[in-house]
């Protein structure tokens, strides 16, 4: 079992729709969870962090965490073509010594 | 200053060359990281420095040699690399290891080994 699993996609959504990105992780000691956006040829950019079970909203982005199910998700409302990128899920390991990145989900938002 | 600066942006080197990658941050962060990213793959951790001391080496071959001269600067010395080492090398920093903050990444150095 991989440490962090994401559907590689591509996930195709029309402009204005909700994009739902999912991630499961294996380290039960993970306490902090991050979502990064990476445009092709660019470096990862932090867009959301979540530490407690439940939902956390920031603008068009909502992160959801369920530690019992070892599941974290990212919702993007009113998706825009500029949201087209690879989204990387990154839980911390136990003790937060490092971030472990999932394989990423490629999102394509069509006009 | 909220940036991590990496130089050079692009590097082409032969298998017998010695070169260095440089990373600098002035955010007062005490943890710095080197990641390697191949095309269509996630970043893979190579090294972690905490308070200028190496705290994690993810079994990286000795042809990669990290150095942290001070709290703002991180180098990666390269020697006798192989073509399969061609990748995007990313530097990142965070407030400290063990703290619940995400990393800030530099723009990366795209390395090609010929």
């Amino acid at each position: 079992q991989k440490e962090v699993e994401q559907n590689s996609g591509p996930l195709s959504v029309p402009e204005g729709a909700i994009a739902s990105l999912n991630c499961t992780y294996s380290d039960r000691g993970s306490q902090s969870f991050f979502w990064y956006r990476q445009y092709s040829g660019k470096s990862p950019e932090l867009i959301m962090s979540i530490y407690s079970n439940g939902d956390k909203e920031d603008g068009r982005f909502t992160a959801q965490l369920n530690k019992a199910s070892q599941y974290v998700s990212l919702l993007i409302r009113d998706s825009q073509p500029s949201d087209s990128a690879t989204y990387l899920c990154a839980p911390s390991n136990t003790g937060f010594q490092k971030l472990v990145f999932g394989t990423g989900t490629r999102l394509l938002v069509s006009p | 200053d909220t940036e991590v600066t990496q130089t050079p942006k692009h590097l082409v080197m032969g298998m017998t060359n010695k070169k260095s990658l440089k990373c600098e941050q002035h955010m007062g962060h005490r943890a710095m990281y080197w990641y390697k990213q191949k095309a269509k793959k996630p970043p893979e951790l190579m090294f972690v420095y905490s308070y200028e001391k190496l705290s994690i080496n993810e079994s990286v071959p000795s042809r990669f040699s990290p150095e942290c001269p001070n709290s703002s600067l991180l180098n990666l010395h390269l020697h006798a690399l192989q073509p399969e080492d061609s990748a995007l090398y990313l530097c990142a920093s965070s407030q400290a290891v063990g703290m619940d903050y995400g990393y800030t990444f530099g723009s990366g150095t795209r390395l090609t080994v010929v």
Side-chain angles (χ1 to χ4, degrees), chain A residues 31-32 34 36 38 41-46 49 51 88 92-93 95-104 106, chain B residues 33 35 37 40-43 45 48 56 58 88 90 96-108 110:
Chain A
Q31 295 295 321
S32 308
F34 303 90
Y36 283 82
Q38 187 172 27
K42 302 296 185 182
S43 62
E45 173 192 8
L46 179 64
S49 59
Y51 310 106
L88 299 162
S92 65
N93 71 327
F96 197 72
Q97 299 300 311
K98 61 183 181 182
L99 293 185
V100 180
F101 286 88
T103 52
R106 186 173 168 220
Chain B
Y33 312 83
Y35 279 82
Q37 187 175 27
K40 300 190 186 303
K41 297 290 187 182
L45 182 64
V48 178
I56 296 179
E58 295 283 37
L88 180 67
L90 295 162
V97 170
M99 294 183 70
D100 291 344
Y101 297 101
Y103 299 174
T104 300
F105 281 90
S107 57
R110 189 161 299 280

Side-chain angles (χ1 to χ4, degrees), chain B residues 57-89:
Chain B
N57 176 339
E58 295 283 37
S59 302
V60 178
S62 59
R63 57 186 184 267
F64 296 92
S65 175
E67 178 196 20
C68 190
N70 58 58
S71 60
S72 300
L73 191 57
L74 185 66
N75 298 320
L76 186 63
H77 303 299
L78 314 173
H79 173 56
L81 294 192
Q82 303 298 310
E84 58 265 29
D85 296 320
S86 299
L88 180 67
Y89 287 83

Side-chain angles (χ1 to χ4, degrees), chain A residues 9-78:
Chain A
L11 173 66
S12 296
V13 300
E15 184 174 357
I18 295 175
S20 178
L21 307 166
N22 305 316
C23 171
T24 58
Y25 59 94
S26 62
D27 185 348
R28 287 197 168 272
S30 295
Q31 295 295 321
S32 308
F33 305 85
F34 303 90
W35 283 97
Y36 283 82
R37 177 176 62 199
Q38 187 172 27
Y39 293 112
S40 181
K42 302 296 185 182
S43 62
E45 173 192 8
L46 179 64
I47 55 171
M48 284 290 286
S49 59
I50 188 166
Y51 310 106
S52 304
N53 283 330
D55 295 358
K56 177 182 177 182
E57 186 175 319
D58 184 0
R60 296 186 295 115
F61 298 101
T62 298
Q64 299 174 316
L65 175 60
N66 183 327
K67 291 183 181 179
S69 301
Q70 295 174 252
Y71 174 87
V72 59
S73 67
L74 180 70
L75 300 178
I76 306 175
R77 289 182 300 280
D78 187 24

Side-chain angles (χ1 to χ4, degrees), chain B:
Chain B
D1 189 349
T2 58
E3 285 189 347
V4 176
T5 302
Q6 288 188 246
T7 54
K9 294 195 181 307
H10 300 275
L11 178 63
V12 179
M13 62 183 291
M15 289 188 284
T16 59
N17 291 161
K18 287 185 180 181
K19 296 287 185 183
S20 297
L21 309 184
K22 179 180 172 181
C23 174
E24 198 164 6
Q25 58 88 13
H26 296 287
M27 294 179 280
H29 288 178
R30 302 314 300 268
M32 297 185 76
Y33 312 83
W34 281 115
Y35 279 82
K36 172 183 176 179
Q37 187 175 27
K38 303 277 277 184
K40 300 190 186 303
K41 297 290 187 182
E44 294 180 14
L45 182 64
M46 301 175 71
F47 302 104
V48 178
Y49 271 83
S50 177
Y51 289 87
E52 296 135 63
K53 289 187 175 7
L54 183 65
S55 65
I56 296 179
N57 176 339
E58 295 283 37
S59 302
V60 178
S62 59
R63 57 186 184 267
F64 296 92
S65 175
E67 178 196 20
C68 190
N70 58 58
S71 60
S72 300
L73 191 57
L74 185 66
N75 298 320
L76 186 63
H77 303 299
L78 314 173
H79 173 56
L81 294 192
Q82 303 298 310
E84 58 265 29
D85 296 320
S86 299
L88 180 67
Y89 287 83
L90 295 162
C91 175
S93 70
S94 68
Q95 288 203 0
V97 170
M99 294 183 70
D100 291 344
Y101 297 101
Y103 299 174
T104 300
F105 281 90
S107 57
T109 294
R110 189 161 299 280
L111 174 68
T112 303
V113 182
V114 297

Side-chain angles (χ1 to χ4, degrees), chain A residues 11-13 15 19 37-40 60 76 79-87 105-111:
Chain A
L11 173 66
S12 296
V13 300
E15 184 174 357
R37 177 176 62 199
Q38 187 172 27
Y39 293 112
S40 181
R60 296 186 295 115
I76 306 175
S79 295
Q80 300 297 310
S82 59
D83 294 325
S84 298
T86 296
Y87 289 80
T105 297
R106 186 173 168 220
L107 174 66
L108 296 176
V109 181
S110 54

